[in-house]
């Protein structure tokens, strides 16, 4: 066991390297049997060979466990760092962990607000359709097939148009906050990697890890 100090970025690179080494051993275990089934006579005659194989494969498995331990130790320290270290992106403060989660999951209120904007468009279309139907019915009722329309009849039609015209009560300023949310999310995506790289380079962690050949 030895104390090693590196930047967070360097530790992240170490995790990638450890994962490659671990995957290589796991792949070997998946496709190559770590046991021997043979006759007693052959086992006796090839004892030295089989003992050497047992020594080799046991050492390989011990190395796998050591690599996994080091990787998990490093990950644990980085997770603890991410959970407490704060970064600021476009005036908003996040812990590194929350910023990473927000980036990976693409979480924002944009889909929620888009759904409301879309529903609003459809609701306006429904009101417009209802108005047009009411106006047409009124015109049919008043005019029939007549071509000469009196001013009084025109006034009645206009009253119907006014009665069924839409009136929008925007309870939260929907379009405005939707545009603001899109802009904020785009700015977040543009800055997140810059800020994470900066903080990972500027900060060091001292971690106790096993020395592995």
């Amino acid at each position: 066991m030895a104390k090693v100090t590196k930047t967070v970025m360097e530790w992240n690179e170490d995790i990638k390297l450890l994962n490659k080494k671990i995957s290589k051993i796991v792949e070997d275990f998946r496709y190559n049997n770590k046991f021997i089934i043979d006759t007693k006579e052959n086992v006796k005659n090839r004892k030295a060979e089989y003992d050497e194989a047992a020594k080799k494969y046991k050492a390989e498995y011990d190395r796998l466990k050591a690599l996994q331990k080091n990787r998990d130790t490093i990950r644990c320290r980085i997770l603890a760092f991410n959970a407490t270290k704060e970064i600021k992106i476009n005036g908003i403060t996040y812990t590194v962990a929350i910023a990473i989660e927000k980036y990976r999951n693409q979480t924002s209120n944009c889909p929620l607000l888009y759904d409301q904007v879309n529903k609003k468009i459809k609701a306006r279309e429904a009101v417009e359709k209802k108005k047009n139907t009411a106006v047409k019915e009124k015109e049919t009722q008043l005019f029939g097939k007549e071509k000469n329309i009196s001013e009084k009849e025109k006034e009645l039609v206009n009253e119907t148009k006014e009665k069924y015209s839409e009136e929008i009560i925007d309870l939260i300023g929907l379009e405005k906050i939707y545009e603001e949310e899109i802009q904020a999310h785009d700015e977040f995506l543009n800055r997140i990697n810059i800020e994470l790289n900066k903080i990972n380079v500027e900060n060091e962690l001292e971690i106790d890890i096993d020395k592995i050949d």
Side-chain angles (χ1 to χ4, degrees):
M1 188 76 78
K3 290 186 181 295
V4 180
T5 301
K6 295 183 181 183
T7 66
V8 177
M9 180 170 285
E10 288 172 326
W11 283 123
N12 278 321
E13 291 302 315
D14 280 359
I15 289 176
K16 293 177 184 178
L17 181 60
L18 286 166
N19 279 332
K20 287 182 180 179
K21 292 179 179 179
I22 289 167
S23 295
K24 186 176 180 180
I25 298 174
V26 168
E27 195 75 2
D28 181 70
F29 264 78
R30 184 173 285 121
Y31 293 106
N32 295 291
N33 293 336
K34 306 306 176 186
F35 60 86
I36 296 170
I37 304 294
D38 204 345
T39 65
K40 289 185 177 180
E41 182 68 19
N42 280 342
V43 169
K44 180 180 178 181
N45 293 334
R46 302 175 66 181
K47 186 176 185 306
E49 176 188 342
Y50 288 166
D51 285 349
E52 187 63 28
K55 181 180 177 182
K56 174 187 173 184
Y57 291 138
K58 179 63 168 61
E60 185 181 51
Y61 186 71
D62 288 343
R63 184 168 184 268
L64 172 65
K65 298 290 287 183
L67 290 169
Q68 291 171 328
K69 179 184 176 183
N70 276 353
R71 179 197 59 186
D72 293 345
T73 298
I74 296 168
R75 287 189 70 246
C76 184
R77 285 297 309 278
I78 290 177
L79 288 171
F81 172 82
N82 290 346
T84 55
K85 191 67 177 179
E86 293 182 339
I87 57 175
K88 185 172 284 189
I89 303 175
N90 299 320
I92 301 176
T93 300
Y94 305 89
T95 62
V96 173
I98 292 298
I100 291 172
E101 180 183 331
K102 181 179 175 66
Y103 175 71
R104 286 177 177 169
N105 298 331
Q106 296 290 295
T107 55
S108 74
N109 290 327
C110 293
L112 178 68
L113 294 169
Y114 172 79
D115 183 57
Q116 280 289 310
V117 169
N118 197 41
K119 285 180 179 179
K120 182 180 178 182
I121 292 171
K122 290 180 179 179
R124 293 186 67 186
E125 290 173 350
V127 170
E128 182 68 17
K129 184 178 180 180
K130 186 176 181 180
K131 182 186 78 172
N132 291 338
T133 300
V135 169
K136 187 174 182 180
E137 288 176 352
K138 176 60 71 173
E139 289 175 341
T140 300
Q141 176 190 341
L142 292 173
F143 313 148
K145 294 183 180 181
E146 292 182 15
K147 294 183 179 180
N148 296 322
I149 305 170
S150 68
E151 290 301 318
K152 179 63 176 176
E153 288 171 331
K154 288 181 181 179
E155 187 178 324
L156 290 172
V157 170
N158 288 332
E159 286 178 1
T160 301
K161 286 182 180 178
E162 179 64 25
K163 179 181 178 181
Y164 285 92
S165 293
E166 71 174 28
E167 183 172 344
I168 302 173
I169 304 173
D170 194 334
L171 303 175
I172 62 172
L174 196 56
E175 278 83 0
K176 183 175 183 294
I177 64 172
Y178 179 44
E179 290 176 3
E180 290 173 348
E181 189 72 23
I182 290 175
Q183 183 178 351
H185 188 57
D186 287 344
E187 290 173 354
F188 174 85
L189 295 180
N190 289 334
R191 291 296 307 175
I192 176 76
N193 284 323
I194 296 172
E195 297 300 327
L196 287 178
N197 286 337
K198 182 180 176 182
I199 205 167
N200 286 342
V201 169
E202 291 177 348
N203 289 271
E204 294 182 336
L205 299 176
E206 184 182 72
I207 305 177
D208 286 332
I209 58 173
D210 292 325
K211 185 177 179 180
I212 306 171
D213 296 328

